[in-house]
Amino acid sequence: GAVVSQHPSRVICKSGTSVKIECRSLDFQATTMFWYRQFPKQSLMLMATSNEGSKATYEQGVEKDKFLINHASLTLSTLTVTSAHPEDSSFYICSASTAGDYGYTFGSGTRLTVV
Amino acid sequence: GENVEQHPSTLSVQEGDSAVIKCTYSDSASNYFPWYKQELGKRPQLIIDIRSNVGEKKDQRIAVTLNKTAKHFSLHITETQPEDSAVYFCAASRGFGNEKLTFGTGTRLTIIP
């Protein structure tokens, strides 16, 4: 079946630094990538939607200059958390899909801790 | 935009009994309704889904019902087992891969042995 590889699985960074999270679709072409953030004991909140080759569409309240999303190819999308602060500590999950298909394939998630 | 409400937030049932989780949605254009099971620190796992042209779908001990008129759908788990303990999320989208998926608030299901 469809697989999305997400790296790193865990990362600890210092406040003020940037962190890049990668999601790769291994056996299908991801025309759309969704990025979610999940705080402890809460639901998955959509941060942004990106289509291959286009600028990402951010949800209300999500700072596009802080959370940089790149979807340059049909198999790779990245989320960069810039100038990270402790409040950015969360579980980040990507979800890939293909146009014309109802399925959503989730990455394994990245636990970000900002100290 | 779409708003998905989910109830209850926590649910404890005796092993072997049934569990029911309910969700309502607001966007009448939504036509795809998946249910996910998530264990701590893991990705959501799709357990069953339903499209708007179907009223009910069943897969062994798991079933989902959809009432488009009332804009609600439910997850039914029968003969519950300890391994069913997890957090369950409902979700809704307008279908097809380029449409975003909106999640419910989640239900923590605990199966009591």
Side-chain angles (χ1 to χ4, degrees):
Chain A
V3 176
V4 171
S5 175
Q6 182 171 348
H7 294 281
S9 58
R10 291 177 180 272
V11 58
I12 300 173
C13 71
K14 291 185 177 181
S15 187
T17 62
S18 296
V19 173
K20 180 183 283 188
I21 301 169
E22 284 191 356
C23 277
R24 292 180 183 273
S25 56
L26 299 185
D27 49 5
F28 69 103
Q29 295 183 328
T31 50
T32 304
M33 192 71 78
F34 304 91
W35 286 94
Y36 292 87
R37 180 168 51 182
Q38 186 177 29
F39 291 109
K41 297 187 178 181
Q42 294 189 23
S43 186
L44 286 80
M45 299 303 297
L46 182 66
M47 299 174 66
T49 301
S50 71
N51 293 301
E52 183 264 339
S54 303
K55 288 186 177 180
T57 301
Y58 290 81
E59 295 297 302
Q60 191 172 9
V62 178
E63 301 173 59
K64 62 179 181 181
D65 294 330
K66 180 174 182 61
F67 298 99
L68 303 179
I69 291 172
N70 184 283
H71 193 171
S73 77
L74 287 171
T75 59
L76 174 65
S77 179
T78 60
L79 166 67
T80 301
V81 182
T82 63
S83 187
H85 292 285
E87 57 265 31
D88 298 323
S89 298
S90 187
F91 191 53
Y92 293 85
I93 311 177
C94 62
S95 174
S97 63
T98 302
D101 185 359
Y102 280 90
Y104 299 86
T105 303
F106 286 86
S108 53
T110 297
R111 172 74 59 195
L112 170 64
T113 303
V114 185
V115 298
Chain B
E2 174 71 284
N3 181 48
V4 180
E5 295 188 358
Q6 182 172 347
H7 298 281
S9 56
T10 61
L11 178 62
S12 295
V13 300
Q14 208 70 36
E15 181 179 355
D17 288 349
S18 296
V20 180
I21 303 171
K22 299 182 179 181
C23 287
T24 60
Y25 62 98
S26 62
D27 185 356
S28 57
S30 289
N31 59 13
Y32 175 64
F33 308 93
W35 284 88
Y36 293 91
K37 176 182 180 182
Q38 188 181 32
E39 298 179 353
L40 190 63
K42 304 289 186 181
R43 78 186 85 195
Q45 297 280 355
L46 177 69
I47 57 172
I48 197 167
D49 57 8
I50 192 168
R51 301 182 191 179
S52 60
N53 58 346
V54 175
E56 183 174 357
K57 184 177 177 180
K58 188 174 181 180
D59 182 5
Q60 299 184 335
R61 298 187 297 110
I62 296 173
V64 55
T65 58
L66 171 66
N67 183 326
K68 278 218 74 172
T69 302
K71 293 189 202 156
H72 66 70
F73 56 113
S74 300
L75 176 70
H76 304 252
I77 306 174
T78 59
E79 301 173 19
T80 54
Q81 301 167 2
E83 53 264 36
D84 294 331
S85 294
V87 179
Y88 291 80
F89 291 99
C90 62
S93 86
R94 292 186 171 188
F96 292 112
N98 58 345
E99 296 288 349
K100 63 183 180 181
L101 197 57
T102 301
F103 283 83
T105 47
T107 297
R108 179 170 299 279
L109 174 64
T110 301
I111 306 302
I112 305 165

